[in-house]
Amino acid sequence: MSNTLIFTISEFASKLLAFFMLPVYTRVMTTEAFGTSDLINSTVGLLMPIFTLSVANAALRFAMSKDEDIKQVFSFGIKVILGGFGILLLAFPLFLQINIINDYLFLFYAVYITSALFNYLNQFARGINKIKLVGICGVLNTIIIIVSNIIMLVVFHMGVTGYLMSFILSSIIGSIVLFVGGGMYKCVTIQTSEKRLKKSILKYSIPFAPNSLSWWLNNTANRYVITAFCGVSQVGLFSAAARIPTILVTMQNIFLQAWLLSAISEYESEDKSEFFTKGYKILNVTMLLGCSALIALIKPISTFLLSAEFFIAWKYIPFLLISVVFGSLSGFLGSLYSASTETNMLFVTTLAGGIFSVGFNFLLVPSLGPLGASCASIIAYLVVWMMRLIDTKRFVELKINIVRDCLGYVLITAQAVVMIFLPGTICYISSALVFVVIILLNLVDLKFLHKMISGYVKRK
């Protein structure tokens, strides 16, 4: 609960930025400019796990270990990131041939390296228990992006260039705060890391790279399919739609970031089955209720957040919200792999989801456009969730009511279909009924959640 409270501050500040700034973006940028910005960020997201070998994940895990030299852990990770960036620089002739990137090539490289370093320092700070600093840094980043966005987009109308420069600036300042405030400058050493440590870090982190790539296939490859069949302007609409589920994604990330720390420390405990079961149930009911509430309110929310040019994108949001539910449960089950250090199945399960995502995007986008991409996201995350639910039984036996849970998933899917295709009054009545039924189905878990929060508040 303590970790969750701090991550709430950090995550609310950094992730909900995309939600609260959406009215600005949709009013000062065209759909094509917004789509271009999103595609550049998406390409960075594709390349980062490959060229960093996902070493940031190892930074969290090995920084928490009392058996390792923290200086060697930190310095080896930095060397991996800088080495990968050097290799990526050699590929600039290739990027010059890509129309969307070539006009912003310098900014593209700057976004990559600043994001990679900030992500690494952020994960390392968590590993050395600088949780409060992570929260402060999240708030600071938000302030920097908001101010710089307003100056560069609203005042100077810098478009894509201003949008990307805002994120570069926030990553640079955030990295300095973490590096100095977290005392990481003390961890810098030119001493060569032990071969055993290098091997252990890479053995742990490398499976995360294809896993992250597979998540990219699930989350982001649809932008490229939409570009191919519908154009960059439709990518702008889909990207705007994908920002609104940030509310639900933030709830998920707050819980999962705090949970991963607890999962690693509690994995060897005798009552781990009960511990993980309670965590799963809390996440499940929270995401279900959050999803149902947002589907019900999606039209008024979209009216406020989206300009007239972007408003049609509201129809893509309900299915994206459902995909977030399955994505969050998949992420929870993924924490079992991280806690056990057996990360190979992270890749296998996520790759399966990525294959389904790409396949169904090519199948559905030509006829349904961005709505087809939303449907493909649900299918992909559903596959990952099912595979992990079955596979992780060899680690921890979750004592859950799968029939009741699946009924909840059917209800929110029906709610989404009604919201998109039927008139207003029926939508709101059905949404209210779904919300009440989900509460009744999960009453025991909600009472436990209330009891846990009340107890925590009283102790504090």
Side-chain angles (χ1 to χ4, degrees), residues 15-36:
K15 299 300 183 185
L16 284 188
L17 167 72
F19 178 79
F20 289 120
M21 289 299 292
L22 190 58
V24 176
Y25 297 147
T26 60
R27 283 163 177 80
V28 301
M29 298 177 74
T30 64
T31 55
E32 185 173 353
F34 195 63
T36 299

Side-chain angles (χ1 to χ4, degrees), residues 136 142 424 444:
I136 293 171
T142 300
V444 175

Side-chain angles (χ1 to χ4, degrees), residues 104-137:
Y104 306 98
L105 191 57
F106 175 78
L107 292 174
F108 167 76
Y109 274 111
V111 170
Y112 172 87
I113 189 59
T114 55
S115 299
L117 289 172
F118 176 71
N119 183 43
Y120 180 79
L121 296 177
N122 196 289
Q123 293 295 329
F124 192 84
R126 297 168 197 233
I128 60 176
N129 203 32
K130 299 290 183 179
I131 307 299
K132 291 182 180 178
L133 181 63
V134 172
I136 293 171
C137 199

Side-chain angles (χ1 to χ4, degrees), residues 166-180:
S166 293
F167 288 93
I168 293 168
L169 180 64
S170 70
S171 293
I172 291 173
I173 296 176
S175 296
I176 293 172
V177 170
L178 290 170
F179 186 75
V180 177

Side-chain angles (χ1 to χ4, degrees), residues 403-434:
V403 175
R404 180 199 63 184
D405 291 348
C406 287
L407 179 58
Y409 308 145
V410 170
L411 285 171
I412 58 173
T413 302
Q415 180 187 1
V417 172
V418 170
M419 180 61 66
I420 294 172
F421 295 107
L422 294 181
T425 305
I426 298 176
C427 297
Y428 295 114
I429 293 174
S430 62
S431 292
L433 289 173
V434 168

Side-chain angles (χ1 to χ4, degrees), residues 289 404 433-444 446:
L289 290 175
R404 180 199 63 184
L433 289 173
V434 168
F435 193 81
V436 171
V437 172
I438 291 174
I439 290 177
L440 295 175
L441 287 173
N442 297 275
L443 203 55
V444 175
L446 287 170

Side-chain angles (χ1 to χ4, degrees), residues 152-171:
M152 295 181 189
L153 296 179
V154 179
V155 178
F156 291 104
H157 306 286
M158 295 174 66
V160 176
T161 299
Y163 181 88
L164 296 176
M165 286 180 64
S166 293
F167 288 93
I168 293 168
L169 180 64
S170 70
S171 293

